[in-house]
Amino acid sequence: MERIPILKVGQYLLITIQVDLHDKMILALQDELTNMIVKTGARGILIDISALEIVDSFIGRVLAQVASCAKLLDAETVVTGMRPAVAITMVELGISMKGVHTALNAEDGMELLNDILHRDEYAHDFSAIN
Amino acid sequence: MLIKASVKRISALLGFSLVNQTKIITAAAELSRNALIYADQGKFKISVLDDTRRKGLQMIFSDSGPGIENIEQAMKDGYTSGHGMGLGLGGSKRLMDEFDIKSAIGVGTTISVTKWV
């Protein structure tokens, strides 16, 4: 089975989904990713889906689950590069990916992750002072 | 995946916009997944409709699974008896122009959807 590579960059894990997703592939990705978060202590996950032509309810659900899992393991998830036609279709289909951050492209996604993590650090510092 | 490729090709050839191509392929993914989850296997037929005024694309998914007891309930968002998100039927109906479902307990389910260019 083809695997989706997970790259570690600093405190982030990067995943670019380049191929059509088979169900087994995305479930394997979910497994591997949660293990990687724990192993590397990654604080952010960036999943780029700009190559995906469709996101059906199954893929949408798994992406949302990945984000919830990551959150429980103290990591934030950003999904980037969604095509406009995919966004329109997802809304009509009724998929809402609650808890998943999105950004227009990978670069914006990295910036968003930086912002979120720094905000967290700030909040930690603040609560330490008080 | 074979279904997806053929649906993509035919919808592009018929001149559907990118958004509508995406909707059709997504509906095909939802409906074929339903057939796989509930019936393990099924038949897929794709046809080009031409009623002189307009062209359309019709997809028929038929399976010999357990059938759906309460179609009205199955069409509702959020209802699922399996592993789905419960958006497959209602969602596909919204993505397409026409939606027809026939189901008999113990015999199977046939869903026909059409989108006009």
Side-chain angles (χ1 to χ4, degrees), chain B residues 47-87:
Chain B
S47 327
V48 173
L49 307 181
D50 191 347
D51 72 354
T52 68
R53 283 183 304 121
R54 55 186 183 167
K55 284 194 166 76
L57 184 144
Q58 184 189 52
M59 302 186 285
I60 299 173
F61 300 81
S62 46
D63 67 56
S64 44
I68 301 169
E69 206 166 317
N70 186 339
I71 291 181
E72 206 178 309
Q73 189 182 33
M75 293 296 298
K76 276 189 192 146
D77 277 0
Y79 176 80
T80 174
S81 61
H83 321 281
M85 223 166 61
L87 292 171

Side-chain angles (χ1 to χ4, degrees), chain A residues 43-60:
Chain A
R43 301 292 318 280
I45 320 289
L46 189 144
I47 305 176
D48 188 78
I49 59 164
S50 55
L52 283 190
E53 281 173 339
I54 64 160
V55 172
D56 62 13
S57 59
F58 177 77
I59 299 173

Side-chain angles (χ1 to χ4, degrees), chain A residues 19-33:
Chain A
V19 289
D20 274 336
L21 286 172
H22 294 266
D23 293 5
K24 279 185 185 148
M25 270 169 78
I26 190 151
L27 290 174
L29 175 74
Q30 188 179 17
D31 264 15
E32 204 182 333
L33 190 60

Side-chain angles (χ1 to χ4, degrees), chain A residues 20-23 53-61 83-86 88-96, chain B residues 1 4 8 18-19 21-23 25-26 29-30 33 77 83-85 87-88 90-92 94-96 115:
Chain A
D20 274 336
L21 286 172
H22 294 266
D23 293 5
E53 281 173 339
I54 64 160
V55 172
D56 62 13
S57 59
F58 177 77
I59 299 173
R61 183 171 57 127
R83 297 184 183 189
V86 170
I88 294 171
T89 304
M90 279 179 74
V91 170
E92 206 155 311
L93 193 58
I95 306 174
S96 70
Chain B
M1 285 301 148
K4 198 187 141 191
K8 186 187 167 190
L18 187 61
V19 171
Q21 287 179 38
T22 307
K23 287 181 183 178
I25 301 168
T26 309
E30 296 292 337
R33 180 182 307 285
D77 277 0
H83 321 281
M85 223 166 61
L87 292 171
S92 307
R94 285 192 292 276
L95 294 176
M96 303 296 287
K115 197 158 189 82

